[in-house]
Amino acid sequence: MCGIVGYIGNNQAPSILIDGLSKLEYRGYDSAGVAVHDGENINILKTKGRLSNLVKLVIENPLTGTLGIGHTRWATHGVPSDVNAHPHISNDNMIAVVHNGIIENYVDIKNELAAEGCVFLSDTDTEVIAHLIDKYYKECLDFEDAVFKAVNRFEGAYAIGIICKDCPDKLIAVRKGSPLVIGKGNGENYIASDIPALLNYTREVYFLEEDEVAVLTKDSVAIYDKNRNRVEREIYHVTWDIEAAEKSGYAHFMLKEINEQPKIVRETILNRVPENGDGIDLENIKLDRKDLENIDRIYMVACGTAYYAGLIGKHLIEKICRIPVISEVASEFRYSDPIIDDRTLLIVVSQSGETADTLEALRISKKNGARVLAIVNAVGSSIAREADDVFYILAGPEIAVASTKAYSAQVAAMYILACHIALELGKMTKDEFKEIKEQLYMLPSKIELILQKQDVEKKLAEKYMNVKNVFFIGRGLDYLVSKEGSLKLKEIAYLHSEAYAAGELKHGPIAMIDENTLVVAIVTQEELIEKTISNIKEVKARGAKTMAVAMKGNTKIAEVADDVIYIPRTMGILAPILANIPDQLFAYYMALNLGTDIDKPRNLAKSVTVE
Ligand code: F6R
């Protein structure tokens, strides 16, 4: 999604803004721009396309000034174009703004301002922000008053950075529903929509909360709530390194993140499943027997990859704990009038912790009395802050748009959660847990083994790079893994692919199978192997090419499928985390062969903060 940076201090703003924007490129964008205050006027450079276009523009038209705001835009209102790119500025060049999110009532405000003679240059909703603040500024000649007055009128979700021609010593930031952090420096301060933009300059950050406004000078940061009361906020010290947000020699962030999975899964597990002990340590998460007995309904709600991790969680909780769980994508859940009361547990899953639909699902559920447990990666994110309990997955910054390491850590979290619930409710004996625990501890080295052999997926991606259609099939947990495999291929290789329950193929989609189709079968669930083998035979007979992901020792599959990727043996319920790795690698190498923009696939954004 869009990226915001802002700087006020003693150094030249343009290079800091562009450097910050480059750290936000992973979020996905289609245009970029900066506004810099030169002491007298605000000067803007902006352009459609990659950040390199903006850099070229800045080299050709150097800007100077120690106050500025910058933006990478991901189009919502108005096509990607120079004129729609941010920053936007008022007609009298007084107020310049950058904005993430959507101003839902912008049409009303636009009509009102246009009737008063305001000229609109772009198709964006953002432009009304600059004009409305400017209107109020003209009335009161107080920058802060004008911002507060305007913000009271905006509906929707947004984060905004604002500068004023008359105030070369002030940068204002506003947050409602879209993340914004403030970086505290020495004689300089920053704003950004995400921490990586700040890490070259500071590790001390404040997270802005809902409806807050921050007024920055180079020496101070003042945060106000919506009633304009001063708020004290603790500084959060960022512990992870800039290297964690850089490629470290890998060709792509996605490949780096895939290869980080042994370490991340190890950390997620070790953090909650202590070596010395016979249980799970959920630390401050309050989910003991009494809490669980008070719950009569569990919802598992998320979007995209996080939703697929949630599906594995649903399966595990149902299988191990024998509690029914309703899984739903957040965009449907929020409008489905779900049955929620104080006996409901909502589990939301989100890497970014900022996904608009998931956040809304959380809010609706809380309003109706549910308890909310969030499985989140981004520390201090909106979902983490608003949930009753947070299970941090500790995956570190995930930069590639396509989620990989977060999925594995989320699935690991699901194993831990399911075991915890089962132990609390007496649905699992200590011995059964001991066996799962031993197997859980072995997962990281098994992932390592799969990664060591990634030449297999690389070669298969060369072999199948010209297929036009891909079906991922499986049964039970294998079907759930198929969904994530199929999504990865669509996202980064732009290849048409569908996940289907293997037994459903013959109820329609089999008509699509021909010699240009690849069928990837996930076949790890011992009791279902024969069934899925029959389905592989069916598609082979109709000309499809077939590839299987199976556990070592499954020789039957090699007699049927054209190619087999073997993963180390593990318990059936733990297989998803391993079986998904070959799918990630296959998608990555397919995308590499097809020449797509792997880390920033077209039309996609890392964190979807709009509906
Ligand atoms: C796919 C992907 C998306 C996200 C989805 C939810 O690779 O990254 O499908 O999983 O947008 O995002 P979070 O987890 O941030 O809520």
Side-chain angles (χ1 to χ4, degrees), residues 302-308 349-356 358 383 398 400-404 406 410 484 487-488 491 604-608:
C303 300
T305 288
Y307 170 67
Y308 295 146
V349 192
S350 176
Q351 186 288 124
S352 64
E354 300 293 349
T355 301
T358 311
I383 291 175
E398 190 178 62
V401 164
S403 185
T404 52
Q410 285 158 354
E484 173 57 9
L487 177 63
K488 282 293 94 85
E491 265 188 295
L604 290 179
K606 181 65 185 161
S607 141
V608 184

